[in-house]
């Protein structure tokens, strides 16, 4: 789907509730290619977390938070979606992972699981695993192979563990602010 500001396109990975457009979601996980310097779309009432999946990286200037260099090896950056933000590419296009939650409805946590034998107990109401590289993970004892760009959506707590081969994935946990 097109970006809200018209500057590019995004691939929606998962959204809740599943409504058309960008105004009705409580949470959304997407990936996008950023091919040029420019402003980020403004999303009133939305909290965002951004991570770089591929490319040399970008410098993200967020009003009130300064400038942060995001590269595939750096931690995800959380910032309010309703403040001005501007991206400058470090060395060509990047592919990013973007997690958005409506501030009045949900909270989010985004972490990277990387290397051999990583493990985590994820306790979100909704859990989204997004592979930044090939990964064979065990989710509650069931092995699931993920290729780069694959995603796995689940509800409720889950134990996630990598095997002997290195894994590279983002674990997104989303909780509602009130039971739903």
């Amino acid at each position: 789907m097109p970006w809200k500001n018209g500057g590019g396109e995004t691939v929606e990975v998962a959204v809740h509730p599943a409504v058309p457009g960008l105004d009705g979601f409580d949470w959304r996980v997407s990936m996008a290619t950023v091919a040029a310097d420019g402003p980020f779309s403004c999303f009133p009432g939305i909290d965002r977390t951004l991570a770089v999946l591929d490319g040399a990286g970008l410098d993200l200037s967020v009003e009130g938070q300064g400038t942060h260099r995001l590269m595939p090896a750096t931690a995800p950056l959380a910032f309010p979606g309703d403040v001005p933000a501007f991206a400058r590419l470090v060395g060509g296009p990047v592919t990013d992972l973007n997690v958005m939650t409506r501030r009045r409805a949900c909270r989010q946590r985004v972490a990277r699981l990387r290397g051999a034998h990583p493990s985590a107990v994820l306790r979100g109401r909704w859990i989204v695993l997004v592979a930044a590289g090939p990964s064979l993970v065990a989710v509650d004892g069931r092995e699931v192979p993920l290729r780069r760009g694959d995603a796995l959506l689940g509800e409720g707590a889950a134990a996630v563990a990598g095997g002997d081969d290195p894994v590279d994935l983002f674990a997104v946990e989303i909780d509602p602010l009130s039971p739903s």
Side-chain angles (χ1 to χ4, degrees):
M1 73 178 353
W3 289 353
K4 187 175 178 181
N5 69 9
E9 291 185 351
T10 189
V11 174
E12 197 167 75
V13 173
V15 64
H16 177 81
V19 295
L22 294 171
D23 295 326
F25 69 84
D26 285 342
W27 61 264
R28 181 174 184 258
V29 177
S30 62
M31 290 186 278
T33 298
V34 180
D37 298 347
F40 270 43
S41 300
C42 181
F43 285 93
I46 299 293
D47 289 323
R48 297 178 78 164
T49 298
L50 191 77
V52 171
L53 298 169
D54 289 315
L58 58 83
D59 290 329
L60 184 62
S61 298
V62 179
E63 184 175 283
Q65 290 188 0
T67 300
H68 304 269
R69 178 152 294 177
L70 299 175
M71 301 183 310
T74 60
L77 177 69
F79 62 98
D82 45 11
V83 300
F86 189 90
R88 289 196 193 286
L89 297 172
V90 172
V94 301
T95 302
D96 69 27
L97 174 68
N98 183 37
V99 179
M100 295 192 289
T101 51
R102 192 161 308 281
R103 202 171 290 133
R104 65 170 169 69
C106 298
R107 285 194 186 101
Q108 58 167 291
R109 291 173 302 284
V110 181
R112 192 159 194 178
L113 301 177
R114 192 175 216 183
H117 303 288
S119 65
V121 176
L122 307 175
R123 290 184 165 71
R125 162 72 191 279
W126 298 280
I127 296 166
V128 183
L129 299 177
V130 179
S135 300
L136 178 63
V137 296
V139 179
D140 291 337
R142 182 173 154 234
E143 285 192 344
V144 180
L146 298 172
R147 295 179 312 223
R148 185 192 162 287
D150 282 351
L152 182 64
L153 170 64
E155 290 192 38
V160 177
D164 292 333
D165 293 329
V167 301
D168 189 3
L169 56 93
F170 286 91
V172 178
E173 298 170 273
I174 301 168
D175 285 306
L177 292 180
S178 60
S180 59

